[in-house]
Amino acid sequence: VRNFTWVTDIELTAQNVISIAKAGRARWKVENETFNTLKNLGYHLEHNYGHGKKHLASVFANLMMLMFLIDQIQEACCSLFKAVRRRFHSRLSLWEKIRGLFLEFYIEKWEDLFLSIIHGYTARSLHPDTS
């Protein structure tokens, strides 16, 4: 026998208790997997018991959640992103590739970035601007 406890304002009856328990477990699973991804798979979200100077830590956490949301939407809806994602074993290696390209090139469109990762690109040699 297992005992689970959570707070709800839904009246529990013999007819709805099983479906409510399943919904509670599903919600816990989604939250647990999301935070595990944010902590361990390249997003580097850590516990922070303060808000930082002028709420800086809260701003960074919110930006990270926004970035995660955008990644999830792209992974669900963008065929180019899906094709790019398939080329990498891990999300972390994908983020490092994208970061490296942003550091080296001026990128006008996401489509150019994704197509360059999928099909390759021509790297140019470095020439100093001596003017």
Side-chain angles (χ1 to χ4, degrees), residues 113-129:
L113 174 69
F114 292 154
L115 289 172
S116 295
I117 293 172
I118 294 168
H119 300 293
Y121 51 92
T122 303
R124 299 178 185 209
S125 59
L126 181 64
H127 297 286
D129 183 7

Side-chain angles (χ1 to χ4, degrees), residues 97-107 109-110 113:
K97 179 66 171 182
I98 290 173
R99 183 174 161 232
L101 290 172
F102 268 104
L103 290 173
E104 294 296 321
F105 296 99
Y106 173 71
I107 299 168
K109 299 183 292 188
W110 282 101
L113 174 69

Side-chain angles (χ1 to χ4, degrees), residues 36-101:
N36 182 53
T37 298
L38 289 171
K39 184 177 178 185
N40 299 315
L41 298 178
Y43 294 91
H44 304 292
L45 180 68
E46 297 290 335
H47 283 285
N48 186 329
Y49 297 101
H51 295 285
K53 190 168 187 164
K54 296 194 178 192
H55 309 287
L56 183 61
S58 296
V59 170
F60 284 151
N62 284 318
L63 287 172
M64 185 178 308
M65 295 298 285
L66 179 61
M67 178 180 70
F68 182 67
L69 173 65
I70 291 168
D71 291 343
Q72 295 297 303
I73 291 170
Q74 284 194 119
E75 199 158 334
C77 302
C78 178
S79 59
L80 279 177
F81 184 84
K82 290 177 187 180
V84 167
R85 177 69 181 95
R86 283 191 295 269
R87 296 183 61 86
F88 291 86
H89 177 70
S90 70
R91 283 184 179 88
L92 183 57
S93 58
L94 170 59
W95 306 147
E96 288 300 316
K97 179 66 171 182
I98 290 173
R99 183 174 161 232
L101 290 172

